[in-house]
Amino acid sequence: VGLMLCSMLCQAQSTTTEALSEKLCASIDKNNSESFLNLVLPKDQFLSLMKESAPEGVTEEMKTGMIKRMDANYDQEIVEAYRMNFTMVQMLADMHSIGLEGLKFEEVEQKEPTAGPGVSVFHAAIDHEQFKHMYYFARNYKGNWYLAAPIVQISEKEQSF
């Protein structure tokens, strides 16, 4: 069991944005929500990041309370938001026969950080008659890239961030 868990975690880790992009597109193309959810920052790392990035002026007591609430609600709020996003994007791709294999993502320059400091937005052009663009938010944490917001989107028009 331990070896299997280690294998799953190693497969989920993406040391490059290219690897993250490939895994993201494959999970949607194959309707594999578990593979998609493996691309999300793991709970312990998410909580560490939240603790590290708490705004200035937040007392240690406030920070501890915030982390306890996030810990208690992680699955119901954070994971569920990603699961819902996956379902919506996967259904759109399936209904409109949008193939995502081989997409080349590039980082988008942001006017203002949309999803917080340290979060990058990636875009790929899609070869489809109606839906031309795909976006996702990612962050590097300790050498690995993860989805950073439950906002993976396929759209008709180019977005600005």
Side-chain angles (χ1 to χ4, degrees):
V1 172
L3 184 59
M4 190 169 91
L5 180 60
C6 180
S7 172
M8 286 172 49
L9 287 172
C10 289
Q11 289 176 353
Q13 293 176 350
S14 301
T15 56
T16 65
T17 57
E18 291 82 9
L20 178 63
S21 297
E22 287 174 17
K23 291 174 185 178
L24 171 62
C25 290
S27 71
I28 295 167
D29 276 343
K30 295 176 183 173
N31 192 14
N32 189 332
S33 64
E34 290 309 310
S35 291
F36 180 86
L37 293 173
N38 283 334
L39 304 176
V40 176
L41 194 64
K43 181 179 180 177
D44 59 334
Q45 294 177 9
F46 174 81
L47 295 173
S48 293
L49 183 63
M50 291 298 103
K51 192 171 188 176
E52 292 168 14
S53 61
E56 286 186 33
V58 173
T59 67
E60 205 53 44
E61 184 179 344
M62 291 168 65
K63 200 184 295 186
T64 301
M66 177 185 74
I67 297 301
K68 281 183 181 178
R69 281 189 303 281
M70 287 180 169
D71 186 21
N73 298 317
Y74 182 82
D75 289 336
Q76 297 91 350
E77 293 178 9
I78 306 298
V79 173
E80 207 46 49
Y82 280 97
R83 189 181 312 279
M84 201 160 62
N85 180 236
F86 169 81
T87 300
M88 292 169 52
V89 170
Q90 197 287 321
M91 286 175 58
L92 178 71
D94 192 46
M95 282 178 26
H96 295 279
S97 300
I98 302 169
L100 303 177
E101 189 174 326
L103 294 183
K104 301 295 180 204
F105 285 85
E106 294 182 356
E107 188 171 355
V108 174
E109 187 174 328
Q110 299 179 66
K111 294 176 180 130
E112 295 180 28
T114 307
V119 175
S120 300
V121 180
F122 292 88
H123 166 265
I126 300 174
D127 184 20
H128 187 269
E129 66 271 1
Q130 182 178 358
F131 296 94
K132 304 286 186 190
H133 306 277
M134 181 171 175
Y135 297 91
Y136 72 88
F137 293 78
R139 102 166 21 254
N140 187 302
Y141 186 74
K142 297 188 177 182
N144 290 302
W145 284 91
Y146 300 94
L147 294 179
I151 308 171
V152 175
Q153 46 183 248
I154 295 173
S155 64
E156 295 178 55
K157 296 181 181 174
E158 193 168 357
Q159 310 285 317
S160 62
F161 297 93

